[in-house]
């Protein structure tokens, strides 16, 4: 019965709600790195698209066979009803209400159902035996479904989802029998209608309970990490506390930590800053991304050595051939003779080598102007032979501010970076560098950052992150990203692709 679209329905009932009494979040010393908000308009959109599909899937349900007998006049009537199928189910009205502190309740009302099947009977009186067979159709109206979805968050950060009460009621049925002698099948048609009515009510809930149990297992098997930095790292989407219900939306709280792909799966303390989420409800969904998330990326970049790099004559091709760096500080022997004659006298047959290493994790601070990435690194100037062996002759401290502008294309969040501040300082050297020599080093390093480092960083930022969606059939629509003090905010509507043609009215509460 329950395939992809019902999976979407069950999943969204876990994260959504309507018309609830406000409930305070579970006390927690942690502030989440990422917060997702699902609003009433978003829920209504899902209900319009998914409930018709739910009806199609319920319509695949098979019902058990029936048989019985009773005495009539001078004989005994035996009957059997088989191949009973629910062939059509339409739910014209849908609603979702909150159960504060527990979960949500999905309600379908005024639904209609069409059931068909085959019948056969035999009548035996003394030595006389007759029988017949035919088909029947039952039109059921006034069917309602009330389903409770309960959830919490496991210690592992995975969501737990269970089914509470489930009540289904098919209020009125009209049976039409075809074939055979009507005076006989009319004897058991009412009994058949009542039995099928009861079984439909029970079987619908059994099917849903069975599915949600299996879906709960799938939730625990989900990989709650998404690749970032071109697959070099992952971002953690485990939940840090149960969702928060209010009268107009539900907020869901995620870790948002970026870590190495092979990092151990363990709960970590999240120390993100508070993010302003007041009166933000006009879109279907919102995603707040704290600076904490990006600063964990900076920690990963520092610890992993991804930004550690050595430039020497063998990989000089990493710098574009039209860069002025080649004329300013070519990595050949004559560069020392021209720019650093003192070094040339000491290392007459050596080549120039530059080494780059972070001295601290890059930090990220977001404001209305964008996001500022601050990088502190040490650049070493070495005199080496062709095998790369040699010694460091100077160490330069480099401080770099890079302004990052986020870009959102559907579910893909990426960014583009530009240099805002570049400062160098000679920390140590084996020779007394002149002001001109320091300027040569500074200009060469700036060219190196602009012509090689920045394109590399923009390539990494271009990979960005792809936000998880309910299923491959759903897409963000009219999405935008803005920057604020301490966080980024993604605002988006969403819908099915392709758009479902059939829509149903959604019950709007006063």
């Amino acid at each position: 019965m329950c395939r992809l679209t019902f999976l979407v329905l069950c999943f969204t009932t876990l994260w959504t709600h309507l018309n609830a009494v406000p409930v305070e979040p579970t006390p927690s010393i942690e502030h989440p790195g990422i917060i997702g908000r699902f609003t009433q308009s978003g829920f209504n959109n899902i209900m319009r698209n998914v409930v018709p599909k739910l009806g199609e899937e319920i319509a695949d349900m098979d019902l058990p066979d029936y048989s019985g007998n009773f005495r009539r006049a001078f004989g005994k009537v035996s009957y059997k009803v088989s191949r009973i199928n629910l062939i059509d189910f339409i739910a014209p009205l849908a609603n979702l209400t909150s159960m504060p502190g527990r979960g949500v309740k999905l309600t379908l009302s005024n639904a209609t159902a069409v059931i068909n099947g085959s019948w056969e009977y035999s009548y035996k009186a003394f030595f006389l035996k007759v029988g017949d067979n035919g088909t029947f159709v039952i039109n059921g109206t006034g069917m309602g479904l009330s389903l409770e979805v309960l959830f919490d968050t496991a210690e592992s950060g995975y969501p737990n989802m269970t089914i509470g009460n489930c009540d289904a009621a098919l209020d009125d049925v009209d049976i039409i029998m075809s074939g055979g002698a009507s005076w006989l099948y009319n004897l058991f048609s009412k009994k058949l209608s009542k039995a099928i009515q009861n079984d439909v009510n029970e079987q619908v809930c059994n099917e849903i309970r069975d599915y949600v149990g299996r879906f709960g297992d799938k939730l625990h098997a989900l990989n709650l990490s998404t690749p970032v930095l071109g697959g070099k790292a992952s971002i953690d989407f485990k939940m840090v506390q149960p969702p928060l219900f209010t009268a107009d939306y539900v907020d869901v709280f995620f870790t948002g930590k970026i870590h190495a792909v092979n990092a151990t799966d363990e709960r970590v303390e999240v120390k993100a800053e508070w993010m302003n989420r007041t009166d933000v409800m006009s879109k279907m969904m919102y995603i707040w991304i704290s600076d904490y998330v990006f600063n964990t990326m900076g920690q990963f970049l520092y610890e992993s050595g991804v930004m550690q790099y050595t430039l020497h004559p063998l990989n000089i091709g990493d710098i574009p051939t039209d860069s002025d760096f080649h004329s300013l500080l070519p990595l050949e022997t004559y560069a020392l003779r021209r720019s650093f004659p003192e070094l040339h006298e000491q290392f007459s047959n050596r080549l120039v080598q530059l080494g780059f290493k972070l001295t601290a994790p890059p930090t990220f601070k977001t404001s209305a102007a964008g996001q500022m990435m601050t990088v502190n690194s040490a650049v070493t100037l070495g005199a080496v032979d062709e095998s790369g062996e040699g010694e460091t002759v100077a160490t330069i401290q480099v401080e770099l501010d890079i302004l990052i502008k986020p870009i959102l294309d559907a579910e893909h969040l990426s960014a583009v970076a530009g240099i805002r501040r570049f400062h160098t300082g000679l920390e140590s050297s084996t020779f007394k560098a002149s002001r001109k020599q320091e300027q040569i080093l500074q200009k060469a390093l700036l060219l190196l950052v602009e012509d090689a480092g920045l394109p590399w960083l923009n390539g990494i930022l271009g990979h960005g992150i792809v936000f998880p969606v309910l299923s491959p059939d759903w897409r963000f629509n009219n999405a935008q990203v803005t920057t604020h003090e301490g966080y980024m905010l993604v605002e988006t509507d969403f819908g099915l692709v392709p758009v479902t043609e059939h829509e149903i009215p959604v019950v709007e509460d006063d």
Side-chain angles (χ1 to χ4, degrees), residues 132-251:
D132 212 337
N133 60 75
T135 61
F136 69 88
V137 174
I138 293 179
N139 295 305
T141 58
M143 185 173 185
L145 171 68
S146 175
L147 171 68
E148 294 180 352
V149 181
L150 313 178
F151 59 91
D152 58 18
T153 305
E155 181 65 24
S156 63
Y158 282 74
N160 283 334
M161 182 174 68
T162 57
I163 284 293
N165 293 327
C166 179
D167 297 308
L170 187 60
D171 290 341
D172 186 43
V173 295
D174 178 28
I175 186 167
I176 302 172
M177 310 285 282
S178 301
S182 61
W183 70 272
L184 271 175
Y185 60 60
N186 285 337
L187 296 177
F188 61 85
S189 62
K190 291 184 178 180
K191 183 178 292 188
L192 170 63
S193 297
K194 187 62 177 177
I196 290 180
Q197 184 177 1
N198 291 337
D199 272 345
V200 166
N201 297 344
E202 180 180 356
Q203 194 73 4
V204 166
C205 285
N206 287 342
E207 290 280 351
I208 292 176
R209 284 194 183 97
D210 179 66
Y211 174 76
V212 173
R214 288 182 281 115
F215 180 61
D217 294 337
K218 292 179 181 179
L219 281 179
H220 283 275
L222 286 176
N223 180 8
L224 297 183
S225 293
T226 298
V228 293
L229 298 176
K232 293 179 173 62
S234 296
I235 183 169
D236 192 344
F237 279 103
K238 290 186 178 67
M239 295 170 63
V240 298
Q241 64 188 52
L244 167 65
F245 294 98
T246 75
D248 302 293
Y249 56 82
V250 58
D251 283 352

Side-chain angles (χ1 to χ4, degrees), residues 225-235 237 258 289 293-294 297 371 404-409 411-416 456-468 488:
S225 293
T226 298
V228 293
L229 298 176
K232 293 179 173 62
S234 296
I235 183 169
F237 279 103
I258 293 178
I289 308 172
V293 175
F294 301 98
M297 178 175 69
Q371 185 179 70
I404 297 174
K405 292 285 190 178
I407 301 170
L408 185 61
D409 181 13
E411 304 86 42
H412 183 211
L413 177 64
S414 60
V416 61
W456 174 85
L457 178 61
N458 278 322
I460 292 294
L461 295 175
H463 288 288
I465 177 176
V466 178
F467 291 109
M488 290 185 186

Side-chain angles (χ1 to χ4, degrees), residues 293-364:
V293 175
F294 301 98
N295 283 315
T296 61
M297 178 175 69
Q299 188 69 33
F300 165 78
L301 293 172
Y302 176 68
E303 295 176 352
S304 65
V306 170
M307 295 183 71
Q308 186 171 326
Y309 182 69
T310 300
L311 184 66
H312 48 75
L314 296 180
N315 64 358
I316 191 66
D318 291 348
I319 303 176
T321 56
D322 59 350
S323 173
D324 290 339
F325 174 86
H326 297 289
S327 60
L328 187 66
L329 187 64
L331 302 187
E332 302 294 345
T333 305
Y334 71 85
L336 291 177
R337 182 173 63 248
R338 186 183 65 183
S339 302
F340 304 95
E342 305 93 331
L343 294 179
H344 183 261
E345 291 179 5
Q346 187 176 358
F347 307 104
S348 58
N349 296 317
R350 300 293 180 91
L351 306 175
V352 177
Q353 178 174 282
L354 294 174
F356 303 86
K357 185 177 181 180
L358 294 174
T359 57
T363 60
F364 296 80

